[in-house]
Amino acid sequence: MANVYDGAFRTILNDCRKLIIPVINEIFGETYTGEEEIRFFPNEHFLDQQDEADKERITDTNFTVFGKTPKKYHVECESSLPDGKITIRLFEYDAQIALDEGEVTEETLTVTFPNTAVLYLRTYKKTPDKMKYVLVTPGGTVQYDVPIMKVQTYSLDDIFEKGLLMLIPFYIFSHEKDLPEYNSNEQKLAELKAEYQEILERLDKLERQGVIGAFDKRTIIDLSGDVIHEIARKYKNVRKGVGDMMRGKLIETSARRLKNEAVNETKRNTALRMLKRGKLTIEEIAEDSGLSVAEVEQLAGLQTV
């Protein structure tokens, strides 16, 4: 389910924000050091619909990096086949982000579009290297590219050498086509487990060197386990052999419990705001907030009491 992958992407960004910097450097050719301030903005936006009521949707990330010049970014995570609709949705988000923060001075509206990119977890033959916006206006035509990062093209060495640690939870996608073989061949499964053991050891080394903190490391491992369990739902041996190995490395701490409680509270508050506005169905609210349908129904019931 794409929700698990989207949730993992949002979680690692919310919990380990500095990990986005190497990804931004890689995608946009920036030279951020990692010491810059990163300020995230609300991801909820109302999208005007011509033939139906306004819809509220949540972008994956909407943030500004304060380097020498502040720059706004919008990054989306996708696991589905490119179909043209993704580009339309991206532009809707970008336009709404720009409009939400637009400025009017003496009847002049100034809107700033974010630097936008897409992380594709799966790469298909028709997956392009970039998207493009072409805006034909009375004042002239403006066009620019929306770069695409293809996660499956990055080797384990690439990820660690470039510091792209936030890609680790999705590294299993590079093995997706071989999951049936891993599931039925003990030798192949052992090789996959050895690769993930290497990931754990390299993360341990980065923690000892002070490159990442203990919480960042645990979050990466935790989310890796979640993604593996989802992508290997049909492959019990892979799920237990590799997924459980990653989850087994975690030790629950008070700090993590508090962090999880804060994240869950944010999800509940988001769902409550959506319920009060009455724009979306229970299922849509569950999808956008990251809660289950049952949890949203429970919140809806509390509102009517």
Side-chain angles (χ1 to χ4, degrees):
M1 184 183 294
N3 268 1
V4 173
Y5 311 140
D6 292 341
F9 182 68
R10 290 175 184 167
T11 297
I12 200 167
L13 281 169
N14 286 327
D15 289 4
C16 316
R17 296 185 173 188
K18 290 292 185 180
L19 296 185
I20 189 63
I21 291 296
V23 173
I24 293 300
N25 286 343
E26 176 74 7
I27 295 175
F28 294 101
E30 301 286 6
T31 56
Y32 296 127
T33 64
E35 297 303 315
E36 295 82 5
E37 178 189 356
I38 306 173
R39 189 178 302 167
F40 280 70
F41 294 88
N43 289 345
E44 301 166 47
H45 299 280
F46 279 102
L47 305 180
D48 294 332
Q49 306 290 310
Q50 291 182 345
D51 302 320
E52 54 186 307
D54 293 352
K55 287 189 175 181
E56 186 176 30
R57 286 292 182 265
I58 297 179
T59 61
D60 281 348
T61 61
N62 170 23
F63 60 95
T64 295
V65 177
F66 291 86
K68 293 181 180 179
T69 302
K71 288 187 179 181
K72 181 175 289 295
Y73 295 94
H74 167 211
V75 182
E76 291 284 323
C77 177
E78 286 291 342
S79 61
S80 57
L81 182 71
D83 58 4
K85 294 180 181 178
I86 294 171
T87 311
I88 294 172
R89 189 177 75 247
L90 281 175
F91 182 76
E92 286 181 330
Y93 288 155
D94 286 347
Q96 200 63 54
I97 289 169
L99 189 58
D100 286 349
E101 300 173 17
E103 296 180 355
V104 178
T105 304
E106 296 181 353
E107 300 307 316
T108 297
L109 172 63
T110 300
V111 293
T112 302
F113 276 67
N115 296 276
T116 300
V118 184
L119 271 66
Y120 267 104
L121 304 183
R122 294 186 175 99
T123 302
Y124 303 90
K125 288 183 178 180
K126 64 182 295 185
T127 304
D129 293 326
K130 61 185 178 182
M131 299 177 181
K132 183 184 290 289
Y133 292 160
V134 179
L135 284 68
V136 181
T137 77
T141 299
V142 177
Q143 59 180 309
Y144 61 95
D145 295 334
V146 175
I148 289 174
M149 171 179 268
K150 299 177 181 179
V151 174
Q152 286 180 316
T153 65
Y154 288 85
S155 69
L156 206 53
D157 285 340
D158 290 334
I159 289 172
F160 278 96
E161 288 170 7
K162 295 184 177 184
L164 305 174
L165 302 182
M166 69 167 290
L167 300 187
I168 291 176
F170 310 107
Y171 178 68
I172 190 64
F173 278 89
S174 65
H175 291 285
E176 185 175 19
K177 64 182 179 62
D178 298 317
L179 291 180
E181 183 178 7
Y182 293 136
N183 199 61
S184 60
N185 186 317
E186 290 186 8
Q187 177 59 37
K188 289 293 185 180
L189 180 59
E191 292 174 4
L192 182 63
K193 291 176 67 176
E195 193 167 0
Y196 270 86
Q197 182 60 42
E198 179 186 351
I199 290 174
L200 293 173
E201 291 171 357
R202 292 175 82 161
L203 288 173
D204 284 341
K205 182 178 180 180
L206 291 179
E207 183 188 6
R208 290 195 301 272
Q209 293 172 338
V211 176
I212 59 173
F215 182 80
D216 288 355
K217 185 187 76 171
R218 288 197 304 271
T219 301
I220 291 170
I221 296 170
D222 190 13
L223 295 176
S224 296
D226 289 345
V227 173
I228 291 168
H229 271 257
E230 178 60 29
I231 202 172
R233 281 183 298 168
K234 299 179 181 178
Y235 308 106
K236 180 180 178 181
N237 293 333
V238 176
R239 192 172 66 249
K240 293 183 67 64
V242 184
D244 287 358
M245 180 178 77
M246 299 301 282
R247 287 181 168 179
K249 287 287 292 185
L250 288 174
I251 300 175
E252 188 73 13
T253 65
S254 297
R256 180 163 186 83
R257 284 196 298 272
L258 290 172
K259 188 76 172 181
N260 286 339
E261 289 171 5
V263 170
N264 289 334
E265 184 65 22
T266 298
K267 291 179 180 179
R268 288 192 290 270
N269 288 337
T270 297
L272 282 169
R273 288 196 296 271
M274 292 179 180
L275 285 166
K276 289 177 180 177
R277 289 165 182 161
K279 299 285 186 178
L280 302 177
T281 65
I282 294 292
E283 290 74 16
E284 288 173 326
I285 292 173
E287 179 179 353
D288 285 351
S289 67
L291 295 176
S292 67
V293 171
E295 288 172 320
V296 177
E297 288 177 340
Q298 184 179 26
L299 290 173
L302 292 174
Q303 276 198 314
T304 60
V305 174

